[in-house]
Amino acid sequence: MTDPLDAPPSPVPPLVIVDGANVVGSRPDGWWKDRKGAAERLRDRLAGEGLPGHPGPVEIVLVVEGAARGVASVPGVRVESAPGSGDDHVVELAAADPGRPRLVVTADRELRRRVTELGARVAGPRTVLG
């Protein structure tokens, strides 16, 4: 697997933005019964494993929405509750620092289009779920 963050070295670690609802929803494991719990499990996995296949430090932001709002941040993963659309919040985060390497983890085609127009790279849920 190639590293989705291959880029020239930067003094700031790459920003990895995870579309929580899309990644959690990519596996039919009963997540719909407890959306907040599913988001917490994803957060904990990200905190424990970082970005698999990427040896360097990264800043991970997990964007949650709807019933998953209110999930707390933990060391290694900042959790942001989208005030409205999770996709719109992901786009805002990707647009905030155009000079920084950014990777958005989602399978949502429209969201992928929007963030690649901003210069971010994209990867699917398997990037963080294995």
Side-chain angles (χ1 to χ4, degrees):
M1 177 175 161
T2 61
D3 186 342
L5 290 176
D6 281 340
S10 170
V12 178
L15 177 62
V16 177
I17 307 164
V18 179
D19 177 0
N22 186 269
V23 171
V24 164
S26 70
R27 291 204 170 152
D29 62 1
W31 59 265
W32 52 88
K33 297 175 190 171
D34 180 11
R35 293 172 193 248
K36 187 173 182 183
E40 289 169 338
R41 288 188 296 278
L42 175 58
R43 174 206 59 200
D44 295 347
R45 182 179 188 141
L46 292 167
E49 298 178 14
L51 183 63
H54 183 74
V58 294
E59 179 184 350
I60 299 174
V61 179
L62 173 62
V63 175
V64 296
E65 63 185 331
R69 283 189 183 103
V71 171
S73 296
V74 296
V77 179
R78 184 174 86 230
V79 180
E80 292 204 9
S81 293
S85 159
D87 289 1
D88 289 346
H89 195 65
V90 168
V91 171
E92 288 173 17
L93 291 170
D97 197 351
R100 181 179 191 183
R102 294 149 294 147
L103 173 71
V104 175
V105 180
T106 186
D108 182 305
R109 288 183 188 169
E110 176 62 15
L111 180 56
R112 284 173 167 248
R113 183 195 63 75
R114 292 173 68 190
V115 298
T116 56
E117 287 178 354
L118 297 169
R121 298 180 102 174
V122 295
R126 280 186 274 182
T127 302
V128 296
L129 295 177

